[in-house]
Every structure is written in C-alpha cells, then in structure tokens.
Amino acid sequence: ELTKAQAIIYLCNMIKFFSRYKFIGIVLFILSVIIVSTIYNLYKPEPQLKVYQPNEFTKELVDSTLQRVRKFHKVSDFKLINQYGDTITQAHFEDKIYITDFFFTTCQTICPIMTEHMEIIQKEFKNNDDVMLLSHSVTPEIDDVERMRKYAEEHDAIKGKWHLVTGDKKEIYRLARKSYFTTKSEGDGGPYDMVHTENFVLIDKEKRIRGVYDGTNPEEIEEAIEDIKILLREYEKLKS
C-alpha cells in the first residue's frame, strides 16, 4: 500500500513523463487531424446540382399542360434580337452554361438591382467562355435595339457574352412561362399582359434548368455563382 509520500512522488514522476513527451503528443495530434482531413477531402462526394422539372415548381408558375411533366424538360428554341441588332437563337448558347432573367429598361424598382447583380456574375466569369448571360426585355415594344444597346453600354455588357434581347412579345412571354417558369402562368403576351419577375434561372449545356435564384438578393447571387462553378467542374470531369 502506497504511503502519502510515495503517492506524491509517483504523481510527480508521471507529470515529468507526460511533460517530456507533450511535444511529441501535440505533433502526433496535429498530424492525425491533417491526415483525417486529407482523406475526407479526397473521398467526399462533389456537390451536384439537381435538374429541375416542371412538376417541381409551384403550380401557379407552370402552364397546366406542363404541370405533370417529371422529366426531359428543356428550354425551347427561340429567335430574338440582341442589343447589336443580331438575331440570337439557341445556337448561340450551344455547349454553354448561362444565367437568364427578364427585365425592362424603364423599370425603376427591382430591375436596376437585378442588372447590377448580372454585372457581378459577368465579372466573376469574364474570362470563361463557357459562361454566358441572357436578359429578355418584357416591354419589347419600348425596348428597341437602340435603347437596348444604350442600356447594355451603361452596364458594361460584354459583346458576345451578355445578350440583352428584344423581339416578339408573345415569344418572350412564352419563354418566361413555359421554358423558364419565372412568372405566373396566366397571360397570353398580349398588349395588357405584363411579366415582372425577380427570378434568375441557371441553364446547363443541355438546356436544362439547374437553379433558380432571387435576382434581388445578394446572398442568392453568391449561391448562383457557386452553382455555376459546380456545373463547370461537372463538365470538366466529363472531359477527363
């Protein structure tokens, strides 16, 4: 049986022992953390974006003929005019990722914020030819080519990268309602019909919807930028 003095001596010796090897213990602990973290990063799954289908949107945003569609939805073909007077079709976005929105040049409420956020996205991917931007005027009878070009210049839209398009109102509204699902499905694109939406939509190289964001919310713009990067990595892996 240990005496009190022996117990104290034993305790002091243990403290000395652990003090002597404390540095080694700390080093081993740090190495363990690094190794575990490295293994986790090597094997953790890459985040992937879902493919949105019509049945996943709020019913009021989807035309009744599409509400039960669960797969294979793609943005339909279009033929519009950009700020340079050039005809723009799906061919211009072949093998491209793009962000799209709907605005009008005389809007004084949400559109200036949305356009500013489109500028931020353009700046982020300025040197990446795989990423483009597409803005549709919802008042094409007002936003002619000259007005669209002036607006594009005011917001530093890069030629060939960010297309601001005008054209047939019915076609633009059909795209908003039946391809991108950005606004309520009621309306025929007639003289008294008006689309006014804050939604940005991310489209992949297969013309599928991969993300929807509030174009007035800075946090969701950051999310959109991160999602574009995820898509770019996804396509990069397919190449390798």
Side-chain angles (χ1 to χ4, degrees), residues 3-19:
T3 65
K4 185 178 180 181
Q6 288 174 323
I8 291 172
I9 292 169
Y10 178 77
L11 183 59
C12 288
N13 287 334
M14 289 295 291
I15 291 171
K16 286 179 183 178
F17 176 82
F18 285 114
S19 296

Side-chain angles (χ1 to χ4, degrees), residues 113-127:
I113 301 169
M114 293 165 59
T115 303
E116 181 183 334
H117 287 159
M118 289 290 270
E119 286 183 69
I120 290 171
I121 295 172
Q122 177 183 243
K123 184 178 179 181
E124 182 70 30
F125 299 100
K126 181 179 179 180
N127 298 316

Side-chain angles (χ1 to χ4, degrees), residues 23 45 48 64 68 83 108 113 122 133 143 145 156 166 173 182 195 237-238:
F23 177 75
Q48 286 191 326
S64 59
R68 295 187 181 182
Q83 67 266 39
Q108 298 298 315
I113 301 169
Q122 177 183 243
L133 301 92
D143 293 332
V145 170
D156 299 319
T166 186
Y173 280 43
T182 60
V195 164
K237 276 193 169 183
L238 290 174

Side-chain angles (χ1 to χ4, degrees), residues 35-236:
I35 291 168
V36 170
S37 177
T38 302
I39 292 171
Y40 174 76
N41 287 325
L42 282 173
Y43 289 98
K44 74 174 180 180
E46 276 280 341
Q48 286 191 326
L49 304 182
K50 68 180 293 181
V51 176
Y52 287 84
Q53 300 298 337
N55 71 308
E56 296 176 279
F57 287 85
T58 305
K59 280 190 174 182
E60 66 176 10
L61 295 177
V62 183
D63 187 84
S64 59
T65 60
L66 297 169
Q67 286 176 1
R68 295 187 181 182
V69 176
R70 298 174 179 270
K71 54 185 178 180
F72 305 132
H73 177 75
K74 294 188 177 185
V75 175
S76 62
D77 292 336
F78 54 83
K79 188 177 182 181
L80 299 166
I81 307 296
N82 76 357
Q83 67 266 39
Y84 299 103
D86 301 325
T87 299
I88 300 299
T89 68
Q90 281 280 21
H92 290 83
F93 297 89
E94 191 70 31
D95 204 32
K96 305 291 183 184
I97 294 164
Y98 69 95
I99 282 275
T100 190
D101 73 339
F102 293 80
F103 80 110
F104 55 106
T105 61
T106 55
C107 170
Q108 298 298 315
T109 54
I110 62 174
C111 300
I113 301 169
M114 293 165 59
T115 303
E116 181 183 334
H117 287 159
M118 289 290 270
E119 286 183 69
I120 290 171
I121 295 172
Q122 177 183 243
K123 184 178 179 181
E124 182 70 30
F125 299 100
K126 181 179 179 180
N127 298 316
N128 193 320
D129 293 338
D130 282 347
V131 181
M132 295 176 67
L133 301 92
L134 176 63
S135 295
H136 307 76
S137 169
V138 296
T139 58
E141 67 281 4
I142 297 171
D143 293 332
D144 58 16
V145 170
E146 183 181 351
R147 185 182 287 268
M148 292 288 269
R149 183 164 186 167
K150 184 174 183 293
Y151 191 87
E153 289 172 351
E154 288 171 354
H155 295 282
D156 299 319
I158 298 171
K159 186 175 184 179
K161 188 171 192 70
W162 183 0
H163 294 284
L164 290 84
V165 294
T166 186
D168 181 67
K169 184 177 180 180
K170 286 183 179 291
E171 181 172 11
I172 292 169
Y173 280 43
R174 174 182 58 79
L175 287 166
R177 291 185 167 119
K178 293 189 176 184
S179 281
Y180 299 115
F181 309 121
T182 60
T183 190
K184 289 183 179 181
S185 58
E186 294 104 358
D188 61 357
Y192 303 106
D193 192 8
M194 181 66 183
V195 164
H196 202 204
T197 174
E198 73 279 8
N199 289 338
F200 283 15
V201 185
L202 174 60
I203 306 299
D204 69 13
K205 295 183 179 184
E206 285 72 48
K207 307 175 189 176
R208 302 173 302 184
I209 298 174
R210 302 301 292 272
V212 181
Y213 316 91
D214 180 346
T216 65
N217 186 331
E219 291 182 2
E220 294 203 22
I221 298 308
E222 287 302 316
E223 182 185 341
I225 288 170
E226 289 307 309
D227 285 353
I228 291 171
K229 290 177 181 178
I230 289 171
L231 265 187
L232 288 169
R233 289 197 296 270
E234 185 179 308
Y235 286 112
E236 197 59 41

